[in-house]
């Protein structure tokens, strides 16, 4: 009897890093379409494209190959095909696909999302009707007469659709890409030393870079200065402690290297409420 491989959940640090990357994600539409029923000869050889694809299968059957993965998606499933990965497809019977589809770019900093994160190729939509509506909203925004805010409306609709894909992904299926990068090392170092003095000078010296180079590279990768990133990371950690533990405020403040007064001030700057108000608002009620 075969057993299903157990999915190892990402560690808290990996989840934090994934969220940091997604916070910097920029999505841009390349081509959107209405519902399409493919013809019997629908096929293409195994070739990469400079853009990503997203499908919602409505009915029918077919065969897709993404890299070295052979896929046979079913109705109600979302199919993600990353940029720069060889893709092929073909019909396998007269019961051909009817599907929503679009092409898009997904960049984190200057890199495609596929270089930074590993995403599942097939995801059962948590609500196929909602997914279909989101596809339609992307197409409608793209077909609207061009206006000043058109790029924002298109990007907003596309972001909502991609968020639905991520929300539908099975737990543990979104992971950091395998290659270890200096970016990952910097973030892990910050997360492991939140209670210690973390100046930009200390970070630059630790990673063997001059101050100007370190700050420039950090801002390019994260869209924030090191100081801004450290502040946000400390407050995000404190938010989780406030909602998941009974630790006193002063203890949480000390754990992120602040006295209670300064912690409350910074927390309010980032969260718009005080730490005690945040705990009351967001702590699950028993």
């Amino acid at each position: 009897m075969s057993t299903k491989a157990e999915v190892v959940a990402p560690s808290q640090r990996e989840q934090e890093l994934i969220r940091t990357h997604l916070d910097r994600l920029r999505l841009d539409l390349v081509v959107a379409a209405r519902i399409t029923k493919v013809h019997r000869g629908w096929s293409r050889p195994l070739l990469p494209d400079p853009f990503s694809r997203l499908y919602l299968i409505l009915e029918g059957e077919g065969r897709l190959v993404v890299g070295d993965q052979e896929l046979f998606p079913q109705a109600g499933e979302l199919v993600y095909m990353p940029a720069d990965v060889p893709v092929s497809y073909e019909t396998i019977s007269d019961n051909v696909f009817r599907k929503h589809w679009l092409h898009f770019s997904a960049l984190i900093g200057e890199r495609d999302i596929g270089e930074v994160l590993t995403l599942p190729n097939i995801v059962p939509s948590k609500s196929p009707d909602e997914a279909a509506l989101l596809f339609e909203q992307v197409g409608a925004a793209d077909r609207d007469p061009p206006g000043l805010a058109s790029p924002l409306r298109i990007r907003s609709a596309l972001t909502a659709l991609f968020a639905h894909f991520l929300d539908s992904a099975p737990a543990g299926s979104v992971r950091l890409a395998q290659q270890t990068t200096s970016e990952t090392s910097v973030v892990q170092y910050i997360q492991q030393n939140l209670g210690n003095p973390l100046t930009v000078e200390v970070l630059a010296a630790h990673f063997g870079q001059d101050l100007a180079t370190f700050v420039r590279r950090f801002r390019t990768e994260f869209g924030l200065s090191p100081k801004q990133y450290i502040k946000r990371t400390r407050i995000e950690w404190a938010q989780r402690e406030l909602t998941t533990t009974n630790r006193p405020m002063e203890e949480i403040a000390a754990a992120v290297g602040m006295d209670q007064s300064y912690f409350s001030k910074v927390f309010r700057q980032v969260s718009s409420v005080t730490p005690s108000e945040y705990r009351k608002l967001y702590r699950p009620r028993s």
Side-chain angles (χ1 to χ4, degrees):
M1 182 177 68
S2 63
T3 58
K4 187 175 181 180
E6 183 179 353
V7 176
V8 179
S11 66
Q12 181 173 306
R13 286 198 182 99
E14 184 174 355
Q15 291 178 25
E16 290 168 349
L17 189 52
I18 290 170
R19 284 193 292 267
T20 297
H21 288 314
L22 290 174
D23 189 43
R24 300 163 47 226
L25 176 64
R26 178 188 172 98
L27 299 169
D28 287 292
L29 186 66
V30 177
V31 178
R34 294 184 174 91
I35 296 172
T36 298
K37 185 168 185 176
V38 306
H39 56 85
R40 184 64 177 88
W42 180 72
S43 67
R44 67 167 263 168
L46 193 63
L47 295 170
D49 291 301
F51 51 79
S52 298
R53 288 180 165 84
L54 190 64
Y55 294 170
L56 171 64
I57 305 300
L58 300 173
E59 62 183 23
E61 59 182 3
R63 173 180 178 269
L64 304 174
V65 176
V66 181
D68 59 359
Q69 300 294 313
E70 186 178 40
L71 309 173
F72 295 89
Q74 301 176 5
E77 292 183 329
L78 294 156
V79 185
Y80 162 71
M81 290 160 276
D84 301 319
V85 173
V87 170
S88 72
Y89 47 72
E90 63 181 354
T91 58
I92 57 176
S93 74
D94 290 334
N95 183 26
V96 298
F97 282 141
R98 189 167 69 92
K99 59 186 176 67
H100 282 284
W101 64 271
L102 55 79
H103 300 167
F104 65 103
S105 69
L107 298 180
I108 295 175
E110 298 178 354
R111 292 180 288 171
D112 183 81
I113 189 173
E115 298 179 51
V116 182
L117 302 176
T118 299
L119 306 177
N121 295 122
I122 291 185
V123 167
S125 170
K126 65 179 184 179
S127 171
D129 289 342
E130 179 185 342
L133 178 61
L134 291 167
F135 268 97
E136 290 166 3
Q137 288 173 347
V138 175
D142 185 49
R143 291 188 296 272
D144 279 345
L148 187 65
S150 294
L152 297 178
R153 281 195 293 271
I154 294 170
R155 191 171 298 123
S156 175
L158 181 57
T159 299
L161 174 58
F162 199 70
H164 177 90
F165 168 79
L166 293 173
D167 286 340
S168 298
S173 63
V174 177
R175 305 301 297 261
L176 294 175
Q178 289 299 312
Q179 64 268 28
T180 301
T181 65
S182 59
E183 172 186 342
T184 301
S185 299
V186 171
V187 168
Q188 289 179 339
Y189 183 82
I190 290 172
Q191 291 171 348
Q192 292 167 1
N193 290 276
L194 291 179
N196 298 325
L198 274 176
T199 65
V200 182
E201 291 79 7
V202 166
L203 287 171
H206 181 82
F207 290 97
Q209 299 177 24
D210 66 79
L211 186 61
T213 299
F214 178 81
V215 171
R216 183 179 68 253
R217 288 179 176 174
F218 194 100
R219 188 179 285 278
T220 298
E221 290 292 343
F222 293 99
L224 297 169
S225 71
K227 287 182 179 179
Q228 290 170 324
Y229 181 85
I230 292 167
K231 178 195 292 186
R232 191 179 69 176
T233 302
R234 281 173 164 155
I235 297 307
E236 286 176 351
W237 184 89
Q239 288 171 341
R240 285 192 295 276
E241 291 296 295
L242 288 167
T243 55
T244 60
T245 75
N246 291 317
R247 296 177 72 177
M249 300 292 179
E250 59 270 19
E251 187 176 315
I252 294 174
V256 292
M258 302 179 189
D259 63 58
Q260 189 172 351
S261 175
Y262 183 63
F263 170 69
S264 296
K265 178 181 177 181
V266 173
F267 191 98
R268 186 160 194 164
Q269 288 174 346
V270 174
S271 306
S272 301
V273 293
T274 66
S276 58
E277 289 169 340
Y278 189 92
R279 176 170 265 171
K280 290 177 183 178
L281 284 170
Y282 297 108
R283 182 162 186 170
R285 299 183 184 276
S286 56

